[in-house]
Amino acid sequence: AEDIPDGFDANGLSYLVSYQFVPAAFFKLEADVEIIPSKLTGSETAFAPQAYAILGSTIYAGLGIGIAYMDGELADDPFYNVRVGLDLPIGPVHIDLNANYRFSDFDQLSDFDSKNIQIGLLGRYEF
């Protein structure tokens, strides 16, 4: 499978289903599935399961790993993500505004390009 198809649209909106487990006050584990609509991929809808380890509370930083699934195949290689964010609790609802830098190889961190930053907005309900 190709990592990123030729018809992929870099400007658009994808959707995310997210679950967080908080084993300690300043440590969270997160599992996400990103849903990338066909109008962005240029082919069919893609899914990208992801897992994160997050440190912090209201202001946080995390490191994640994921892999894309499209056209019945997994991508050849996983991707990594560095996330920093602001998690604002409003009663049982959390509003999470974050910035994400996704890359496929740790060598790319030295070639940081701010054009590759993705902005995210999540709403979570705390049980």
Side-chain angles (χ1 to χ4, degrees):
E2 294 179 28
D3 287 334
I4 299 176
D6 291 334
F8 188 83
D9 182 359
N11 298 309
L13 183 66
S14 63
Y15 306 97
L16 192 76
V17 177
S18 178
Y19 175 80
Q20 273 191 350
F21 173 67
V22 185
F26 292 97
F27 179 67
K28 302 172 190 173
L29 297 172
E30 182 172 311
D32 299 340
V33 175
E34 185 175 4
I35 304 158
I36 307 164
S38 59
K39 66 181 177 182
L40 296 180
T41 66
S43 180
E44 67 179 51
T45 299
F47 300 90
Q50 303 162 43
Y52 291 88
I54 298 171
L55 294 175
S57 184
T58 302
I59 297 173
Y60 69 87
L63 181 62
I65 185 170
I67 193 158
Y69 177 81
M70 189 172 85
D71 294 328
E73 295 186 33
L74 288 174
D76 293 334
D77 297 309
F79 59 84
Y80 305 96
N81 194 40
V82 174
R83 177 184 290 169
V84 294
L86 181 64
D87 186 351
L88 300 171
I90 303 169
V93 175
H94 287 246
I95 304 300
D96 182 337
L97 178 62
N98 53 69
N100 300 274
Y101 186 73
R102 191 174 286 182
F103 55 97
S104 57
D105 189 338
F106 278 93
D107 291 342
Q108 291 177 314
L109 286 176
S110 62
D111 298 328
F112 179 81
D113 184 352
S114 62
K115 292 186 287 186
N116 293 332
I117 293 176
Q118 300 171 339
I119 302 299
L121 177 64
L122 297 169
R124 281 195 197 85
Y125 184 81
E126 184 175 343
F127 296 96

